[in-house]
Amino acid sequence: MKFTDLPLDHRLQKSLQAKTFTDTTEIQTLAIPHALYGKDLIASSKTGSGKTLAFLIPAIQRVIKQKPLSKRDPRVLILAPTRELAKQVFGELKKLLQGLPYKCALILGGENYNDQVKALGRHPCFVIGTAGRIADHLKDKSLFLNGLELLILDEADRMLDLGFSDQLNLIHGYADPRKRQTMMFSATMDNVQLHALTQRLMRQPERIKVGEAYAQHEEIEQSFYLADHLDHKQALLAAMLENLTYQQAIIFTATRNDAERLTELTKTWGIESVGLHGDMKQSQRSMIMSEFSRNRYACLITTDVASRGLDLSKISLVINFDMPKHSDEYIHRVGRTGRAGNHGSAISLIGPKDWNSFTQLKSFLTHELEFSIWPELEGKFKGFRPRNKPAKSSQADDKSTTKQRSSNHKKPVKRVNTMQGKEAGFGAMRKKPRVSSEVEEKQNPWLSGKQDSD
């Protein structure tokens, strides 16, 4: 379907043409007509499939065509789990609103509260924000939702993961569900807690699911490499960044310290890198993302703070230096590349500490996962074998085994007690003496600190 086939106001069509949007994606084709009709909507599809436009276009069309319930209260409220994602949505909204007489406000935690009160006092038609700060303004009566017509939750599952359930319920209580339309969009929706939330917030919602959340992304080439330890991972990373062709890369790590350490390390390799993590001030994070989006850096090394919502068109390579704890976070990480029909590569380094996360991921994904080998950097670690419980044998097998044993041992075996053993020159049975940790490490290199430090 083309955007020109949709029953949209000519001014909105003009904005879409200015952004050179012509054909709708699958999620947009299915979701926009239901949203324009005013139905509550739960929609899920893989990352990079165009979910943001799927809710922004109906929201703007509604504001243009319908009379407001209130001239003072916002008509559309869009909630996002992180400041980065909220800014991303806000930027897209402002581009679509060019030439239209509608104000919008961005309300985020960690930014000046009084400035936000002033912005809300100018009666914006659209408010985009994070759930915690929106809830604060509702409690302080600097924001009212009596006239709210449309509530949109972007990445609703992530908001619940971050502990915003109480704030979402509070926002729901301030905005009359009988007057408003509610829409939820995300890459993953299979969540018991989320199902309970939809039961409270929505009225007979239309459910749209484009593909499987864990199905293979055709535009992303995914590969996995086994790594022995931290030094081996770093050697693989250095070889990949030196030999692979990419525009920009995102490298995901487990902790803030890892992000900072790898940022400094990659700089010594001559790579323009920058680190990002949740402990940074919002102004610093915003400056880093702005510079990275302008191609100031080749590599962004980050924790999961950048795994969702960032739509950066030049990301052609994603590397999981550390595997995420939760499988759905893997989907969002690799979804930073291969967006809007572009091709990308996603590489994961699997060490001993990543093995549990990798095996969990295998059970979620619908396609087979195979390991690749980087030339001259093949490791010794081949994964851990699952512990299989011995199968119970049938009665017939037991009888057969017993008969076989009796035929093999026709003469009774003479057993000696401990004293008899001593007299025969054998010592009594004792526990095996404990081997020193140094000897253990030599016998099993996986027990050494260096081997298990990734």
Side-chain angles (χ1 to χ4, degrees):
M1 180 188 290
K2 295 187 179 297
F3 282 107
T4 51
D5 296 329
L6 293 169
L8 303 177
D9 185 88
H10 69 279
R11 290 167 291 180
L12 181 53
Q13 289 281 14
K14 186 177 179 180
S15 295
L16 292 170
Q17 291 169 10
K19 289 177 63 64
T20 66
F21 290 143
T22 56
D23 297 326
T24 60
T25 63
E26 189 174 2
I27 186 65
Q28 292 164 359
T29 301
L30 295 173
I32 291 177
H34 289 292
L36 290 174
Y37 189 68
K39 291 277 293 182
D40 281 8
L41 187 64
I42 305 172
S44 62
S45 68
K46 62 188 179 183
T47 57
S49 59
K51 292 188 296 295
T52 304
L53 279 183
F55 61 74
L56 285 182
I57 289 173
I60 297 171
Q61 177 69 10
R62 181 186 183 109
V63 166
I64 292 173
K65 291 298 183 182
Q66 295 189 22
K67 292 183 179 181
L69 298 176
S70 167
K71 293 183 179 180
R72 300 174 60 87
D73 300 339
R75 300 180 64 181
V76 178
L77 173 62
I78 304 172
L79 299 176
T82 64
R83 293 183 287 239
E84 282 74 22
L85 180 53
K87 285 186 175 183
Q88 185 81 42
V89 175
F90 183 71
E92 290 294 317
L93 177 63
K94 286 187 70 176
K95 292 174 184 176
L96 290 174
L97 288 178
Q98 286 180 359
L100 293 170
Y102 303 110
K103 300 175 185 176
C104 53
L106 182 62
I107 307 297
L108 307 176
E111 298 194 355
N112 190 286
Y113 193 85
N114 290 329
D115 288 345
Q116 293 174 357
V117 172
K118 293 176 183 177
L120 292 171
R122 291 191 282 270
H123 311 302
C125 184
F126 296 85
V127 172
I128 299 92
T130 49
R133 181 52 63 92
I134 294 294
D136 292 340
H137 282 287
L138 287 171
K139 292 175 185 176
D140 291 344
K141 297 184 178 180
S142 50
L143 172 64
F144 297 90
L145 299 179
N146 299 324
L148 189 71
E149 299 170 33
L150 180 56
L151 174 63
I152 300 170
L153 285 76
D154 193 11
E155 304 288 8
D157 58 330
R158 181 63 170 162
M159 281 189 255
L160 294 176
D161 291 342
L162 294 172
F164 289 119
S165 177
D166 291 342
Q167 288 85 349
L168 292 176
N169 286 326
L170 184 142
I171 292 167
H172 166 65
Y174 275 89
D176 191 343
R178 295 170 298 178
K179 299 177 182 178
R180 71 162 200 259
Q181 178 185 7
T182 306
M183 296 193 290
M184 289 186 185
F185 285 78
S186 181
T188 54
M189 281 289 185
D190 300 323
N191 182 307
V192 174
Q193 192 180 7
L194 185 62
H195 178 70
L197 182 68
T198 60
Q199 294 289 98
R200 292 193 298 272
L201 269 61
M202 311 184 85
R203 297 173 299 163
Q204 299 179 333
E206 191 74 28
R207 182 71 167 89
I208 295 173
K209 188 173 185 179
V210 177
E212 294 292 332
Y214 299 104
Q216 186 169 10
H217 199 308
E218 294 178 359
E219 288 80 25
I220 303 175
E221 181 184 353
Q222 301 177 51
S223 52
F224 300 82
Y225 292 83
L226 289 166
D228 293 344
H229 44 70
L230 179 60
D231 289 341
H232 190 194
K233 274 191 176 184
Q234 292 178 172
L236 284 167
L237 180 64
M240 290 169 179
L241 293 179
E242 182 180 358
N243 292 284
L244 295 177
T245 301
Y246 60 92
Q247 290 180 287
Q248 286 184 301
I250 295 184
I251 301 169
F252 286 101
T253 65
T255 67
R256 175 198 66 188
N257 291 336
D258 292 332
E260 292 176 347
R261 181 181 57 78
L262 280 182
T263 301
E264 297 306 315
L265 181 62
T266 51
K267 286 179 180 178
T268 65
W269 299 341
I271 298 172
E272 290 288 340
S273 303
V274 65
L276 181 73
H277 53 77
D279 289 347
M280 290 178 169
K281 292 182 179 179
Q282 180 57 37
S283 57
Q284 188 178 4
R285 289 162 61 182
S286 300
M287 181 184 68
I288 289 171
M289 290 311 305
S290 175
E291 291 181 341
F292 185 68
S293 65
R294 296 198 305 268
N295 213 24
R296 168 69 176 79
Y297 300 100
C299 286
L300 174 68
I301 302 172
T302 178
T303 56
D304 279 327
V305 70
S307 67
R308 295 191 182 220
L310 298 181
D311 191 6
L312 302 169
S313 59
K314 295 181 181 179
I315 301 297
S316 56
L317 175 63
V318 168
I319 298 178
N320 289 311
F321 189 83
D322 299 307
M323 286 293 285
K325 291 181 179 179
H326 304 291
S327 297
D328 62 338
E329 208 57 53
Y330 171 87
I331 304 299
H332 290 286
R333 283 185 180 188
V334 302
R336 296 312 96 210
T337 187
R339 302 181 73 83
N342 295 319
H343 290 276
S345 298
I347 296 173
S348 300
L349 306 183
I350 312 297
K353 285 189 175 181
D354 303 293
W355 189 252
N356 286 340
S357 297
F358 174 74
T359 54
Q360 289 174 13
L361 180 64
K362 284 179 65 177
S363 65
F364 277 100
L365 296 180
T366 59
H367 55 279
E368 292 294 324
L369 305 184
E370 297 180 355
F371 289 107
S372 303
I373 297 174
W374 193 270
E376 300 181 1
L377 282 174
E378 182 178 0
K380 297 178 180 178
F381 176 60
K382 302 301 179 186
F384 299 124
R385 293 182 179 178
R387 296 178 181 177
N388 296 323
K389 295 182 180 179
K392 292 183 179 179
S393 19
S394 63
Q395 259 188 348
D397 289 339
D398 289 342
K399 289 178 181 178
S400 174
T401 306
T402 306
K403 186 177 180 180
Q404 185 179 0
R405 285 178 180 171
S406 61
S407 64
N408 292 338
H409 301 282
K410 294 180 180 179
K411 295 181 180 180
V413 178
K414 185 178 180 181
R415 300 182 181 276
V416 294
N417 61 29
T418 303
M419 291 305 296
Q420 288 172 325
K422 285 183 178 179
E423 291 169 1
F426 297 97
M429 293 292 291
R430 293 179 297 173
K431 289 184 177 179
K432 185 178 178 181
R434 180 176 177 80
V435 181
S436 70
S437 59
E438 183 179 355
V439 174
E440 275 190 321
E441 290 179 5
K442 288 180 179 178
Q443 293 175 350
N444 187 351
W446 299 114
L447 297 177
S448 64
K450 183 177 180 181
Q451 300 285 0
D452 197 29
S453 61
D454 64 317

